[in-house]
């Protein structure tokens, strides 16, 4: 009898979990605006000339080494840096086609449009 009760509780919980997963999937596709344009990576940079180039290059190389698909929407927003951060980011934008360098106002518009 105890085994029957334990099995019954197990199956009820499993069924409940399955129903919750189905509800979550339906909610995701019904009530959220999922963009079909892929993954967005947004980086905000200010006064980071010592680290920003290494960060961006290591991030992109990790994606390539893991054989993941390269995100086509990499947005880097500059926050009016007082050093050479903006110049470095513009150089990276020229090297990589999937990087977009903008200011914070344009970045907010991109986020709202997703």
């Amino acid at each position: 009898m105890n085994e029957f009760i334990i099995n019954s509780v197990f199956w009820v919980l499993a069924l409940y979990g399955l129903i919750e997963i189905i509800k979550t999937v339906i909610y995701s596709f019904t009530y959220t605006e999922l963009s079909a344009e892929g993954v967005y990576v947004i980086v905000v940079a200010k006064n980071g000339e010592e680290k920003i180039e290494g960060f961006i290059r290591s991030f992109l190389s990790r994606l390539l080494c893991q054989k993941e698909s390269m995100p086509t929407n990499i947005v880097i927003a500059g926050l009016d840096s007082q050093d050479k951060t903006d110049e470095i980011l513009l150089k990276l934008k020229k090297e990589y086609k999937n990087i977009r360098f903008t200011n914070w106002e344009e970045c907010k518009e991109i986020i709202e449009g997703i």
Side-chain angles (χ1 to χ4, degrees):
M1 183 68 175
N2 288 338
E3 187 176 328
F4 174 75
I5 293 172
I6 292 172
N7 283 336
S8 298
V9 169
F10 173 76
W11 284 107
V12 167
L13 291 175
L15 184 60
Y16 175 75
L18 181 63
I19 290 170
E20 286 298 314
I21 290 171
I22 292 170
K23 280 179 22 183
T24 303
V25 169
I26 290 172
Y27 177 80
S28 296
F29 287 108
T30 305
Y31 297 109
T32 59
E33 296 179 20
L34 298 176
S35 176
E37 296 180 22
V39 175
Y40 280 81
V41 177
I42 299 175
V43 178
V44 180
K46 181 172 184 171
N47 297 334
E49 69 179 328
E50 296 90 24
K51 297 180 182 178
I52 192 66
E53 185 173 4
F55 171 77
I56 298 296
R57 289 186 188 279
S58 67
F59 173 74
L60 293 174
S61 67
R62 285 182 190 161
L63 287 176
L64 290 173
C65 291
Q66 294 174 0
K67 298 180 182 174
E68 298 288 330
S69 60
M70 184 66 80
T72 56
N73 302 305
I74 299 175
V75 179
I76 302 175
L79 296 177
D80 299 325
S81 296
Q82 303 300 320
D83 59 2
K84 296 181 180 179
T85 302
D86 292 347
E87 295 171 20
I88 294 169
L89 293 174
L90 287 171
K91 180 179 81 169
L92 289 171
K93 178 185 174 188
K94 291 177 185 175
E95 288 182 36
Y96 298 100
K97 296 177 184 176
N98 53 348
I99 292 179
R100 186 185 324 172
F101 179 62
T102 65
N103 59 23
W104 179 242
E105 287 79 23
E106 291 177 22
C107 184
K108 287 193 296 189
E109 291 175 9
I110 292 169
I111 293 170
E112 291 172 0
I114 296 176

